[in-house]
């Protein structure tokens, strides 16, 4: 149990800005095992984001509360995944070879592709999340499950790439490389367990929401294939971009399912 707690806190420290015990470090072995808890981090981030939404919705409009919910989620993760999304936009938008793409993604400066991508990403999140919440007619439990299922399922889609593809960089230049090592059944089972439970809970209100898995993992499949084609695998930035895109696709899917199916 002590070791599992250490692995969990390693995951929490790596993927969020939430304070952790002082004895927790970025130990490569623990970081590799921490992938089993990555979707569970979605439960935490989603819960914090929902709490922000709920508090602000008590005295502000739904749309304004959604903006604050998004802000809080970004602050909770330190824009970890949004930064990866921006780097992928810049890298694949401005590079035409594997070496050039990886070099651009490693650059800390944000370019025009990344800036434009982030603006469109946040606009999509804001609009789709706002419409979904309004559609749920103030059912707080349903809205809560929407938040955590979006964050957990999108993280499952992202981390599943680690189980099926190779890490692209040959050197140890990325702090994300330890997560690319060999994985046991515990990492795979833990990821799918924590990634799917919130969505399964959401089926209590509408069993058809299970269909949202299909577009999310189709998106994951094409993104993984795109990364494989251009850089022979993935990087940490690619995982971050996958999480962000799949989160948007999830909101879109839920909205479509609830309205038309």
């Amino acid at each position: 149990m002590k070791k599992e707690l250490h692995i969990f806190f390693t995951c929490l420290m790596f993927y969020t800005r939430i304070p952790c015990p002082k004895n927790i470090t970025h130990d490569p072995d623990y970081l590799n095992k921490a992938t089993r808890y990555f979707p569970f981090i979605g439960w935490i981030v989603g819960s914090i984001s929902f709490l922000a939404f709920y508090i602000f919705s008590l005295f502000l409009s739904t749309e304004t509360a959604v903006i604050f919910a998004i802000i809080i989620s970004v602050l909770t993760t330190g824009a970890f995944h949004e930064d990866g999304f921006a780097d992928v936009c810049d890298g694949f938008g401005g590079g035409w070879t594997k070496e050039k793409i990886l070099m651009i993604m490693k650059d800390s400066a944000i370019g025009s592709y990344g800036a434009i991508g982030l603006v469109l990403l946040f606009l999509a999140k804001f609009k789709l999340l706002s419409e979904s919440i309004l559609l749920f007619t103030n059912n707080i439990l349903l809205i809560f499950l929407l938040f955590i299922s979006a964050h957990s399922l999108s993280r499952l889609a992202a981390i599943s790439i680690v189980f099926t593809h190779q890490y692209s960089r040959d050197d140890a230049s990325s702090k994300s490389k330890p997560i690319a090592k060999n994985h046991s059944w515990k990492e795979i089972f833990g990821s799918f367990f924590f990634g799917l439970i919130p969505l399964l809970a959401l089926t209590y209100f509408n069993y058809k929401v299970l269909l949202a898995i299909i577009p999310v993992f189709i998106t994951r499949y094409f993104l993984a294939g795109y990364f494989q084609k251009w850089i022979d695998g993935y990087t940490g930035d690619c995982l971050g971009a996958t999480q962000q895109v799949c989160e948007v696709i999830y909101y879109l899917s839920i909205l479509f399912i609830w309205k038309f199916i």
Side-chain angles (χ1 to χ4, degrees):
M1 179 60 70
K2 184 177 179 181
K3 182 179 179 180
E4 284 300 316
L5 282 175
H6 196 124
I7 293 171
F8 165 73
F9 280 119
T10 299
C11 188
L12 187 68
M13 181 177 67
F14 188 75
Y15 291 110
T16 75
R17 295 294 179 86
I18 298 173
C20 294
K22 293 182 179 179
N23 65 316
I24 304 300
T25 64
H26 289 104
D27 180 88
D29 182 53
Y30 282 115
L31 192 56
N32 177 241
K33 291 181 173 63
T35 54
R36 70 185 69 168
Y37 292 116
F38 183 44
F40 185 68
I41 298 301
W43 293 29
I44 298 172
V45 176
S47 297
I48 294 173
S49 182
F50 165 77
L51 183 61
F53 164 78
Y54 177 72
I55 292 173
F56 283 104
S57 68
L58 295 176
F59 54 90
L60 296 172
S61 68
T62 296
E63 290 80 4
T64 306
V66 167
I67 292 175
F68 280 103
I70 293 173
I71 291 173
I72 293 301
S73 70
V74 171
L75 292 176
T76 302
T77 62
F80 191 76
H81 308 301
E82 290 83 358
D83 178 66
F85 174 81
D87 286 342
V88 165
C89 289
D90 282 332
F92 288 87
W96 293 99
T97 64
K98 174 182 176 179
E99 293 71 23
K100 184 67 174 178
I101 292 171
L102 292 176
M103 183 182 70
I104 294 174
M105 286 200 293
K106 192 175 179 182
D107 190 345
S108 60
I110 186 171
S112 57
Y113 291 106
I116 294 169
L118 284 175
V119 169
L120 296 176
L121 175 74
F122 284 122
L123 281 174
K125 277 189 184 183
F126 164 72
K127 187 60 177 176
L128 294 171
L129 186 52
S130 296
E131 288 192 18
S132 297
I133 290 171
L134 291 172
L135 189 66
F136 293 164
T137 61
N138 297 319
N139 187 321
I140 294 301
L141 178 57
L142 187 56
I143 296 171
F144 170 68
L145 290 174
L146 173 69
F147 272 86
I148 63 171
S149 60
H151 283 273
S152 61
L153 186 63
S154 60
R155 282 166 171 77
L156 170 60
I159 205 64
S160 68
I161 294 177
V162 174
F163 305 143
T164 58
H165 291 71
Q166 296 296 316
Y167 191 75
S168 180
R169 296 187 189 276
D170 296 324
D171 56 28
S173 62
S174 173
K175 66 178 182 179
S176 299
K177 188 170 185 178
I179 70 173
K181 295 179 180 179
N182 294 329
H183 299 278
S184 70
W185 66 268
K186 292 182 180 179
E187 283 69 61
I188 297 173
F189 175 80
S191 295
F192 276 86
F193 177 81
F194 291 119
L196 295 176
I197 286 297
L199 180 63
L200 293 176
L202 199 57
T203 61
Y204 175 80
F205 298 92
N206 186 344
Y207 72 93
K208 294 178 183 178
V209 298
L210 278 176
L211 294 173
I213 295 176
I214 298 173
V216 168
F217 273 85
I218 287 176
T219 302
R220 175 262 186 215
Y221 173 81
F222 280 106
L223 285 174
Y226 184 75
F227 300 146
Q228 182 68 37
K229 174 184 177 181
W230 285 98
I231 61 173
D232 300 320
Y234 68 91
T235 66
D237 288 331
C238 295
L239 300 183
T242 300
Q243 186 276 318
Q244 290 291 294
V245 174
C246 286
E247 183 182 341
V248 170
I249 294 298
Y250 177 76
Y251 293 136
L252 180 62
S253 302
I254 291 294
L255 196 59
F256 182 85
I257 291 168
W258 217 270
K259 277 188 173 183
F260 304 112
I261 299 181

